[in-house]
Each structure stands twice: as structure tokens, then as C-alpha cells.
Amino acid sequence: MTMNFRPEELDLSEAKQRPLVPPSATPIEPAEILTRNRVLHMSEDKKFIIGHWECAPGSSRWEYPNREESIYVLSGSMTVQEDGGEPVKLTPGASAVFPVGWKGTWTVHETFQKVYHIYRL
């Protein structure tokens, strides 16, 4: 089997800043958190998504009822706290998995960049 690879530039100049409003996140403070998102690959059925995400400081509530996400931190810092769990600080080089059913808070301390992989059920 032959695999074809193509380099992908992470040029965020094309990405638009917009309020954080995905259906699974609710901004806490401030009311609008600026983000940039660039989808690098999406499967035809939209179940698998790979991308790059950047977020300004702030807090938001996340719930994963029908998807899971794995991330790798490129820059910045963020604390994640699952409901009923201990806070975990994520800094460059860290990775994390948010399984189906995860609920909690993300608090971005310094502008945060990650690459992510989402799998939707």
C-alpha cells in the first residue's frame, strides 16, 4: 500500500476571528472569546476532523455528548477541570484526550494553540 503525504502550512492569516460559539461550548468569562480555527482535514462523512485551533484568554464550559477529542498543545497555557475532578494545567508539549461524556471547564491563561483530532459518533 502506498501512502501519499502532503505538507500543510498552518497559515492563520486566512482564519477569521469570531466569537466562540460551537454547540458544545458555552463562554463563561468574557462573554465572547476570540478564536481561530482551521480545519486541515475532514472525512467525507464529517466524523473525523483534524485541525488547528487558537483561543484568547477566557473560560468556557465544554461538554462532549457525542464526540471525543484528542489535542496536542503547541503554545500558551490552559487549565482544564472535569466536573468533580482536579484541575490539570496544559502547556506546550502536553497532550490530552476528552472522551465521549466529558464535561468541564477550560480556562485559557495565555493565548492557546493546539492541533486536534475529533471523532464524532
Side-chain angles (χ1 to χ4, degrees):
M1 172 158 94
T2 302
M3 297 184 78
N4 295 315
F5 294 96
R6 69 181 203 285
E8 182 67 45
E9 294 292 323
L10 291 178
D11 179 8
L12 292 178
S13 63
E14 299 171 15
K16 296 179 180 177
Q17 289 190 4
R18 58 184 173 81
L20 180 64
V21 291
S24 59
T26 305
I28 298 171
E29 183 65 35
E32 290 186 353
I33 300 172
L34 295 179
T35 66
R36 293 184 180 118
N37 183 50
R38 180 160 186 209
V39 173
L40 302 174
H41 175 76
M42 183 182 302
S43 63
E44 286 184 26
D45 60 5
K46 299 183 182 179
K47 284 189 172 189
F48 299 97
I49 304 169
I50 298 169
H52 175 270
W53 187 76
E54 178 179 342
C55 184
S59 294
S60 54
R61 172 117 181 110
W62 290 82
E63 296 185 10
Y64 289 78
N66 59 358
R67 70 177 190 177
E68 64 181 31
E69 178 178 5
S70 59
I71 68 170
Y72 179 80
V73 180
L74 298 173
S75 65
S77 67
M78 173 172 77
T79 300
V80 296
Q81 185 167 7
E82 185 171 18
D83 290 352
E86 296 294 319
V88 176
K89 189 166 186 178
L90 300 176
T91 56
S95 60
V97 174
F98 301 93
V100 173
W102 192 92
K103 296 178 184 180
T105 304
W106 292 17
T107 302
V108 174
H109 307 290
E110 300 172 62
T111 299
F112 189 81
Q113 291 190 43
K114 67 177 181 175
V115 289
Y116 64 86
H117 172 258
I118 293 173
Y119 171 69
R120 296 179 193 273
L121 298 179

